[in-house]
mmCIF file of all heavy atoms in Angstrom:
data_model
loop_
_atom_site.group_PDB
_atom_site.id
_atom_site.type_symbol
_atom_site.label_atom_id
_atom_site.label_comp_id
_atom_site.label_asym_id
_atom_site.label_seq_id
_atom_site.Cartn_x
_atom_site.Cartn_y
_atom_site.Cartn_z
ATOM 1 N N LEU A 229 12.204 -9.275 -25.239
ATOM 2 C CA LEU A 229 12.731 -8.583 -26.423
ATOM 3 C C LEU A 229 12.872 -9.544 -27.598
ATOM 4 O O LEU A 229 12.614 -9.177 -28.755
ATOM 5 C CB LEU A 229 14.088 -7.943 -26.087
ATOM 6 C CG LEU A 229 14.056 -6.838 -25.025
ATOM 7 C CD1 LEU A 229 15.470 -6.363 -24.703
ATOM 8 C CD2 LEU A 229 13.194 -5.671 -25.492
ATOM 9 N N TYR A 230 13.269 -10.757 -27.293
ATOM 10 C CA TYR A 230 13.388 -11.803 -28.316
ATOM 11 C C TYR A 230 12.022 -12.059 -28.949
ATOM 12 O O TYR A 230 11.887 -12.171 -30.179
ATOM 13 C CB TYR A 230 13.921 -13.064 -27.637
ATOM 14 C CG TYR A 230 14.556 -14.087 -28.542
ATOM 15 C CD1 TYR A 230 15.078 -13.769 -29.788
ATOM 16 C CD2 TYR A 230 14.654 -15.419 -28.122
ATOM 17 C CE1 TYR A 230 15.666 -14.719 -30.593
ATOM 18 C CE2 TYR A 230 15.248 -16.383 -28.914
ATOM 19 C CZ TYR A 230 15.750 -16.035 -30.156
ATOM 20 O OH TYR A 230 16.327 -16.991 -30.945
ATOM 21 N N ALA A 231 10.979 -12.139 -28.104
ATOM 22 C CA ALA A 231 9.623 -12.362 -28.604
ATOM 23 C C ALA A 231 9.149 -11.195 -29.463
ATOM 24 O O ALA A 231 8.535 -11.395 -30.531
ATOM 25 C CB ALA A 231 8.674 -12.578 -27.427
ATOM 26 N N ILE A 232 9.423 -9.984 -29.028
ATOM 27 C CA ILE A 232 9.022 -8.797 -29.794
ATOM 28 C C ILE A 232 9.721 -8.781 -31.153
ATOM 29 O O ILE A 232 9.126 -8.373 -32.170
ATOM 30 C CB ILE A 232 9.350 -7.511 -29.005
ATOM 31 C CG1 ILE A 232 8.509 -7.448 -27.718
ATOM 32 C CG2 ILE A 232 9.115 -6.271 -29.857
ATOM 33 C CD1 ILE A 232 7.022 -7.464 -27.949
ATOM 34 N N PHE A 233 10.964 -9.227 -31.192
ATOM 35 C CA PHE A 233 11.697 -9.308 -32.461
ATOM 36 C C PHE A 233 10.945 -10.191 -33.460
ATOM 37 O O PHE A 233 10.744 -9.812 -34.626
ATOM 38 C CB PHE A 233 13.102 -9.855 -32.207
ATOM 39 C CG PHE A 233 13.851 -10.239 -33.450
ATOM 40 C CD1 PHE A 233 14.378 -9.277 -34.300
ATOM 41 C CD2 PHE A 233 14.022 -11.576 -33.779
ATOM 42 C CE1 PHE A 233 15.061 -9.639 -35.458
ATOM 43 C CE2 PHE A 233 14.709 -11.946 -34.932
ATOM 44 C CZ PHE A 233 15.229 -10.976 -35.774
ATOM 45 N N PHE A 234 10.495 -11.351 -33.021
ATOM 46 C CA PHE A 234 9.782 -12.262 -33.930
ATOM 47 C C PHE A 234 8.401 -11.728 -34.283
ATOM 48 O O PHE A 234 7.943 -11.894 -35.425
ATOM 49 C CB PHE A 234 9.685 -13.655 -33.308
ATOM 50 C CG PHE A 234 10.974 -14.415 -33.326
ATOM 51 C CD1 PHE A 234 11.635 -14.716 -32.152
ATOM 52 C CD2 PHE A 234 11.549 -14.805 -34.525
ATOM 53 C CE1 PHE A 234 12.836 -15.406 -32.162
ATOM 54 C CE2 PHE A 234 12.752 -15.493 -34.548
ATOM 55 C CZ PHE A 234 13.398 -15.797 -33.370
ATOM 56 N N MET A 235 7.743 -11.081 -33.350
ATOM 57 C CA MET A 235 6.447 -10.494 -33.672
ATOM 58 C C MET A 235 6.602 -9.378 -34.702
ATOM 59 O O MET A 235 5.753 -9.217 -35.588
ATOM 60 C CB MET A 235 5.783 -9.958 -32.396
ATOM 61 C CG MET A 235 4.462 -9.231 -32.637
ATOM 62 S SD MET A 235 3.263 -10.198 -33.601
ATOM 63 C CE MET A 235 2.778 -11.426 -32.397
ATOM 64 N N THR A 236 7.686 -8.615 -34.619
ATOM 65 C CA THR A 236 7.941 -7.548 -35.593
ATOM 66 C C THR A 236 8.096 -8.123 -36.992
ATOM 67 O O THR A 236 7.541 -7.594 -37.968
ATOM 68 C CB THR A 236 9.210 -6.763 -35.210
ATOM 69 O OG1 THR A 236 9.047 -6.217 -33.894
ATOM 70 C CG2 THR A 236 9.460 -5.633 -36.199
ATOM 71 N N ILE A 237 8.833 -9.224 -37.093
ATOM 72 C CA ILE A 237 8.987 -9.888 -38.395
ATOM 73 C C ILE A 237 7.632 -10.328 -38.927
ATOM 74 O O ILE A 237 7.305 -10.113 -40.105
ATOM 75 C CB ILE A 237 9.931 -11.097 -38.274
ATOM 76 C CG1 ILE A 237 11.355 -10.641 -37.942
ATOM 77 C CG2 ILE A 237 9.924 -11.906 -39.577
ATOM 78 C CD1 ILE A 237 12.321 -11.778 -37.722
ATOM 79 N N TYR A 238 6.821 -10.897 -38.059
ATOM 80 C CA TYR A 238 5.513 -11.374 -38.493
ATOM 81 C C TYR A 238 4.626 -10.226 -38.959
ATOM 82 O O TYR A 238 3.973 -10.313 -40.015
ATOM 83 C CB TYR A 238 4.835 -12.140 -37.357
ATOM 84 C CG TYR A 238 3.442 -12.584 -37.692
ATOM 85 C CD1 TYR A 238 3.221 -13.617 -38.594
ATOM 86 C CD2 TYR A 238 2.329 -11.949 -37.132
ATOM 87 C CE1 TYR A 238 1.931 -14.015 -38.927
ATOM 88 C CE2 TYR A 238 1.043 -12.343 -37.451
ATOM 89 C CZ TYR A 238 0.851 -13.369 -38.350
ATOM 90 O OH TYR A 238 -0.425 -13.754 -38.678
ATOM 91 N N VAL A 239 4.594 -9.148 -38.198
ATOM 92 C CA VAL A 239 3.746 -8.007 -38.546
ATOM 93 C C VAL A 239 4.186 -7.375 -39.869
ATOM 94 O O VAL A 239 3.353 -6.989 -40.699
ATOM 95 C CB VAL A 239 3.770 -6.965 -37.412
ATOM 96 C CG1 VAL A 239 3.094 -5.671 -37.851
ATOM 97 C CG2 VAL A 239 3.088 -7.517 -36.168
ATOM 98 N N LEU A 240 5.494 -7.281 -40.080
ATOM 99 C CA LEU A 240 6.014 -6.626 -41.282
ATOM 100 C C LEU A 240 5.834 -7.459 -42.545
ATOM 101 O O LEU A 240 5.614 -6.916 -43.628
ATOM 102 C CB LEU A 240 7.498 -6.288 -41.093
ATOM 103 C CG LEU A 240 7.834 -5.200 -40.070
ATOM 104 C CD1 LEU A 240 9.343 -5.033 -39.954
ATOM 105 C CD2 LEU A 240 7.182 -3.871 -40.464
ATOM 106 N N PHE A 241 5.914 -8.784 -42.409
ATOM 107 C CA PHE A 241 5.989 -9.624 -43.610
ATOM 108 C C PHE A 241 4.835 -10.605 -43.766
ATOM 109 O O PHE A 241 4.820 -11.372 -44.726
ATOM 110 C CB PHE A 241 7.315 -10.392 -43.627
ATOM 111 C CG PHE A 241 8.526 -9.512 -43.659
ATOM 112 C CD1 PHE A 241 9.273 -9.300 -42.516
ATOM 113 C CD2 PHE A 241 8.892 -8.849 -44.831
ATOM 114 C CE1 PHE A 241 10.386 -8.472 -42.532
ATOM 115 C CE2 PHE A 241 9.997 -8.023 -44.865
ATOM 116 C CZ PHE A 241 10.747 -7.827 -43.708
ATOM 117 N N ASP A 242 3.883 -10.591 -42.852
ATOM 118 C CA ASP A 242 2.741 -11.493 -42.991
ATOM 119 C C ASP A 242 1.953 -11.156 -44.254
ATOM 120 O O ASP A 242 1.740 -9.988 -44.581
ATOM 121 C CB ASP A 242 1.834 -11.376 -41.765
ATOM 122 C CG ASP A 242 0.652 -12.309 -41.856
ATOM 123 O OD1 ASP A 242 0.819 -13.446 -42.341
ATOM 124 O OD2 ASP A 242 -0.457 -11.914 -41.434
ATOM 125 N N ASP A 243 1.549 -12.184 -44.967
ATOM 126 C CA ASP A 243 0.827 -12.010 -46.227
ATOM 127 C C ASP A 243 -0.618 -12.441 -46.034
ATOM 128 O O ASP A 243 -0.904 -13.623 -45.796
ATOM 129 C CB ASP A 243 1.492 -12.851 -47.326
ATOM 130 C CG ASP A 243 0.925 -12.554 -48.702
ATOM 131 O OD1 ASP A 243 -0.088 -11.837 -48.791
ATOM 132 O OD2 ASP A 243 1.495 -13.045 -49.692
ATOM 133 N N LYS A 244 -1.532 -11.493 -46.134
ATOM 134 C CA LYS A 244 -2.949 -11.795 -45.964
ATOM 135 C C LYS A 244 -3.495 -12.666 -47.095
ATOM 136 O O LYS A 244 -4.560 -13.258 -46.969
ATOM 137 C CB LYS A 244 -3.767 -10.498 -45.888
ATOM 138 C CG LYS A 244 -3.282 -9.507 -44.826
ATOM 139 C CD LYS A 244 -3.361 -10.082 -43.428
ATOM 140 C CE LYS A 244 -2.925 -9.052 -42.389
ATOM 141 N NZ LYS A 244 -2.875 -9.634 -41.026
ATOM 142 N N HIS A 245 -2.757 -12.717 -48.192
ATOM 143 C CA HIS A 245 -3.227 -13.489 -49.349
ATOM 144 C C HIS A 245 -2.389 -14.759 -49.527
ATOM 145 O O HIS A 245 -2.218 -15.249 -50.640
ATOM 146 C CB HIS A 245 -3.147 -12.634 -50.613
ATOM 147 C CG HIS A 245 -3.871 -11.326 -50.505
ATOM 148 N ND1 HIS A 245 -5.247 -11.243 -50.492
ATOM 149 C CD2 HIS A 245 -3.410 -10.046 -50.373
ATOM 150 C CE1 HIS A 245 -5.609 -9.974 -50.378
ATOM 151 N NE2 HIS A 245 -4.528 -9.232 -50.290
ATOM 152 N N MET A 246 -1.879 -15.289 -48.433
ATOM 153 C CA MET A 246 -1.009 -16.454 -48.485
ATOM 154 C C MET A 246 -1.679 -17.636 -49.183
ATOM 155 O O MET A 246 -1.093 -18.257 -50.082
ATOM 156 C CB MET A 246 -0.615 -16.861 -47.059
ATOM 157 C CG MET A 246 0.161 -18.166 -46.975
ATOM 158 S SD MET A 246 0.327 -18.758 -45.272
ATOM 159 C CE MET A 246 -1.379 -19.253 -44.921
ATOM 160 N N GLU A 247 -2.905 -17.924 -48.797
ATOM 161 C CA GLU A 247 -3.581 -19.101 -49.335
ATOM 162 C C GLU A 247 -3.785 -18.978 -50.846
ATOM 163 O O GLU A 247 -3.533 -19.936 -51.591
ATOM 164 C CB GLU A 247 -4.921 -19.299 -48.633
ATOM 165 C CG GLU A 247 -5.636 -20.575 -49.031
ATOM 166 C CD GLU A 247 -6.881 -20.800 -48.211
ATOM 167 O OE1 GLU A 247 -6.774 -20.805 -46.966
ATOM 168 O OE2 GLU A 247 -7.963 -20.961 -48.809
ATOM 169 N N GLN A 248 -4.203 -17.795 -51.291
ATOM 170 C CA GLN A 248 -4.414 -17.605 -52.736
ATOM 171 C C GLN A 248 -3.111 -17.783 -53.518
ATOM 172 O O GLN A 248 -3.108 -18.390 -54.595
ATOM 173 C CB GLN A 248 -4.998 -16.209 -53.003
ATOM 174 C CG GLN A 248 -6.410 -16.014 -52.457
ATOM 175 C CD GLN A 248 -6.410 -15.466 -51.045
ATOM 176 O OE1 GLN A 248 -5.588 -15.869 -50.213
ATOM 177 N NE2 GLN A 248 -7.335 -14.549 -50.771
#
Side-chain angles (χ1 to χ4, degrees):
L229 296 176
Y230 200 23
I232 295 301
F233 168 74
F234 286 113
M235 176 53 72
T236 302
I237 294 176
Y238 176 72
V239 170
L240 291 177
F241 299 103
D242 181 38
D243 189 351
K244 306 299 182 185
H245 305 288
M246 173 191 70
E247 186 174 305
Q248 293 91 320

